[in-house]
Amino acid sequence: MRKILSYILLMFTLVLMPMHIVYAYDTGLITSKDQLKSPGVKIGVGVGSSSMLLVEKEFPNAELVYIELNEALPALAQGKIDAFVYDYRQLQIALATGVEGVKLLDETMDEEVHIAVGLSPVTEIDGLKEKIDTFIDVIRADGTLDDMYDRWVIKNDFEIPDFPEIKNPKMKLIVGTSGIATPYTFYQGAELCGYDIELAERFAQYLDADLEFKVYDYGAIINAAASGDVDCIMANLNVTPERAQALPFSQDLYTEKAGIVVRSGVSDSSIGAFFSRVVTSFEKTFIRENRWTLFVRGVITTIIITVSSVILGTVSGFFVYLLCRKGNKVANNITNGAMRLIQGMPVVVLLMILYYIIFAGLHINGIIVSVIGFTLTFAAAVIGLLRIGVGAVDNGQYEAAYSLGYSDHKIFFKIILPQALPHVIGAYKGEIVGLIKATAVVGYIAVQDLTKIGDIIRSRTYDAFFPLIAIAIIYFGLEALLGDVIDKMEINIDFKKKGQSGYLKGVKLNDKD
């Protein structure tokens, strides 16, 4: 516990100090679009977005920096980039939250961005493009589409209407979204809402369909639709030539201008302003809209994935080792090949292969795929550790046991394994700690773990301080908790750490015992 508290105090010291730094830019401030045409200017854009194409066209001499909105504004205020180009309405909402050190230029990019619904080319819903185009025509004709845009985007009326429950749905509609693009798709408390969410609800009513949302990073959402994991994408999706090659699109929902955010100059660096920012940051991150409940949900998901993977990985790894320990060439060759394959690629790549290729179109929950992926990686680690531990036991132990008439089964479980485990229990603990941290990548396959929840909250607050600090502290706590469990296991299996009572267990010290 003292170790955890010292880590927390150190982290707050390292992070609170930079918060008080004055970002003073007396010279070189961007005040117009023309200044962005100079060579070497760094402009932030979203990966594969229309903004990227617009910047490449209007500012060919600029250096592109690929970054998302919730990361771009702090980077801009700190001078890491010179400007950021993004959806104008989202920028307006972001700056209205009180982000310091940045401002929105009056000028916008020249061309408009086209927003539509992306459709899966392998969806099981017949004629989905025709159905959604007809639906858009209907709600455009009766004024519903304009009313939605006015409420969500212009007036920022963040309240989704109630829709009747569909008692006997004719089909199931799976919609992919991002959950981090206010006012189009975002979390209000623990509830997913926004323009695109209401659009999906209305489309499900139109189809008489059961509706399911899957939340992805923008970098993965196109792959999700292309593989058939979702039927369509509703996430303020820009239509670009490359995206149009991968997916069919509906007719345009609306067009939007791209805005430009630049540094504004010196921010208030007084002590009072500093503590005010800290208090406001805490309130926005945890109190407002009960966002602490999102952290709880993320922690539960992370624990489920970690504990399930550790248990299943240990059991399966131990079982495979038993199959291979006799030296069976076929079993060993298969096991060695699988271990090299699994351990030779980043875990995020393994998860994406499982989710978007092997299980593509099967609509398996991302948590289950995560458990499968991490079980494979942990099982491979367990097999390697058992080989090391058993190999450390002297062969004379086998020979002595055989000479006393012990069976192979009893030799391994009664003599060899108890001596092998103390050699590897420390490394086993390290593998568990590594697994906990590795779960941070499951957001790529539509799992809302602790790290993904932090991204969702940062997309609403545009403040990285408390979301990231909270995530770091929680991971420290989880690692310490599981570490304590492994430490107790280590004491129980290592006689050297049990002391005299461990050595003499079962031995009579005198005639009275």
Side-chain angles (χ1 to χ4, degrees):
M1 182 60 67
R2 290 181 179 178
K3 184 184 292 187
I4 297 175
L5 291 175
S6 64
Y7 278 136
I8 293 173
L9 290 174
L10 175 62
M11 184 171 298
F12 268 105
T13 301
L14 293 176
V15 180
L16 282 172
M17 288 176 63
M19 285 186 69
H20 192 55
I21 294 176
V22 182
Y23 299 118
Y25 305 103
D26 297 328
T27 60
L29 291 177
I30 303 295
T31 58
S32 68
K33 282 177 59 177
D34 289 338
Q35 293 174 268
L36 297 176
K37 297 178 181 179
S38 303
V41 173
K42 295 182 179 180
I43 301 180
V45 294
V47 178
S49 65
S50 293
S51 299
M52 180 187 73
L53 301 179
L54 296 177
V55 170
E56 288 178 341
K57 184 176 181 179
E58 290 196 44
F59 310 120
N61 296 321
E63 177 185 342
L64 298 186
V65 178
Y66 300 101
I67 190 170
E68 295 302 327
L69 175 60
N70 56 3
E71 299 166 343
L73 298 184
L76 182 61
Q78 295 166 17
K80 296 176 182 177
I81 56 177
D82 298 302
F84 180 64
V85 177
Y86 206 68
D87 176 89
Y88 186 80
R89 299 295 181 182
Q90 289 187 65
L91 292 177
Q92 280 187 317
I93 293 173
L95 269 61
T97 63
V99 179
E100 292 190 358
V102 298
K103 66 178 181 180
L104 188 62
L105 289 182
D106 295 332
E107 302 168 280
T108 61
M109 301 299 284
D110 292 340
E111 295 185 16
E112 291 187 328
V113 176
H114 296 263
I115 309 297
V117 178
L119 308 172
S120 171
V122 294
T123 180
E124 297 177 0
I125 300 178
D126 294 332
L128 182 60
K129 176 172 171 53
E130 290 74 16
K131 290 177 181 178
I132 197 163
D133 281 339
T134 302
F135 164 72
I136 293 172
D137 284 335
V138 170
I139 61 174
R140 178 172 278 125
D142 65 14
T144 301
L145 199 63
D146 289 338
D147 175 68
M148 287 171 52
Y149 188 86
D150 183 64
R151 284 188 289 107
W152 288 103
V153 183
I154 304 300
K155 297 179 180 178
N156 298 149
D157 180 7
F158 295 165
E159 185 174 350
I160 195 166
D162 292 327
F163 293 97
E165 181 182 354
I166 300 175
K167 296 182 179 179
N168 297 304
K170 297 178 181 178
M171 63 182 72
K172 185 173 184 178
L173 176 67
I174 303 177
V175 176
T177 192
S178 68
I180 58 172
T182 311
Y184 307 102
T185 166
F186 63 99
Y187 279 88
Q188 190 162 234
E191 182 182 1
L192 190 61
C193 61
Y195 173 95
D196 287 297
I197 306 307
E198 181 176 339
L199 183 70
E201 293 279 4
R202 291 186 181 278
F203 187 46
Q205 295 284 325
Y206 177 81
L207 295 178
D208 197 16
D210 185 24
L211 178 62
E212 177 185 348
F213 289 104
K214 289 190 175 183
V215 180
Y216 299 85
D217 287 337
Y218 262 112
I221 200 169
I222 301 296
N223 292 331
S227 66
D229 192 54
V230 297
D231 297 310
C232 60
I233 302 171
M234 296 185 183
N236 188 42
L237 191 65
N238 303 168
V239 181
T240 68
E242 288 188 344
R243 287 176 177 175
Q245 291 177 1
L247 304 176
F249 281 86
S250 71
Q251 61 172 289
D252 287 353
L253 293 169
Y254 53 88
T255 58
E256 190 64 85
K257 285 284 189 179
I260 306 170
V261 181
V262 296
R263 294 195 302 270
S264 63
V266 180
S267 61
D268 188 351
S269 60
S270 65
I271 295 296
F274 164 71
F275 282 106
S276 176
R277 287 196 294 269
V278 172
V279 172
T280 301
S281 176
F282 182 87
E283 189 273 334
K284 289 193 298 183
T285 301
F286 300 105
I287 308 303
R288 191 176 301 177
E289 299 177 0
N290 292 322
R291 288 175 183 152
W292 63 270
T293 60
L294 290 174
F295 281 107
V296 173
R297 188 169 72 184
V299 170
I300 292 173
T301 300
T302 298
I303 291 175
I304 289 174
I305 294 173
T306 301
V307 174
S308 300
S309 300
V310 168
I311 294 174
L312 294 175
T314 301
V315 172
S316 58
F318 187 76
F319 177 74
V320 172
Y321 174 78
L322 292 179
L323 294 177
C324 298
R325 77 181 185 89
K326 289 287 192 172
N328 184 291
K329 288 186 178 181
V330 176
N332 273 280
N333 287 336
I334 294 174
T335 300
N336 291 337
M339 287 177 64
R340 288 193 183 98
L341 183 64
I342 292 170
Q343 295 178 329
M345 69 176 77
V347 67
V348 64
V349 176
L350 174 62
L351 292 177
M352 294 179 75
I353 289 174
L354 290 173
Y355 194 75
Y356 295 115
I357 298 178
I358 295 177
F359 298 121
L362 297 182
H363 304 305
I364 297 178
N365 188 285
I367 294 178
I368 296 176
V369 175
S370 299
V371 171
I372 293 173
F374 286 113
T375 295
L376 292 174
T377 59
F378 200 77
V382 168
I383 294 170
L385 292 177
L386 286 172
R387 288 176 175 175
I388 294 172
V390 172
V393 179
D394 191 271
N395 286 331
Q397 300 284 334
Y398 290 93
E399 297 171 0
Y402 277 124
S403 67
L404 293 173
Y406 280 87
S407 66
D408 180 74
H409 178 82
K410 285 188 175 180
I411 291 174
F412 180 75
F413 284 98
K414 297 291 186 180
I415 299 173
I416 304 301
L417 189 61
Q419 297 181 71
L421 291 181
H423 289 288
V424 298
I425 192 67
Y428 181 78
K429 177 181 176 181
E431 291 292 340
I432 293 178
V433 171
L435 176 62
I436 296 172
K437 292 184 285 189
T439 59
V441 301
V442 296
Y444 282 94
I445 58 171
V447 177
Q448 293 183 26
D449 71 315
L450 182 58
T451 303
K452 179 63 177 178
I453 290 298
D455 292 339
I456 289 172
I457 291 176
R458 286 192 296 137
S459 73
R460 291 298 314 281
T461 64
Y462 306 100
D463 186 350
F465 178 67
F466 274 110
L468 295 181
I469 291 298
I471 291 170
I473 291 173
I474 293 171
Y475 273 120
F476 274 128
L478 292 177
E479 291 170 12
L481 179 63
L482 290 178
D484 287 342
V485 173
I486 301 302
D487 288 341
K488 291 180 180 178
M489 290 174 54
E490 185 176 5
I491 293 174
N492 289 328
I493 67 176
D494 191 345
F495 288 106
K496 294 180 180 179
K497 295 188 177 183
K498 282 188 173 183
Q500 186 183 40
S501 61
Y503 281 113
L504 301 179
K505 184 178 182 180
V507 178
K508 292 184 178 182
L509 298 178
N510 53 57
D511 294 339
K512 296 181 180 180
D513 291 333

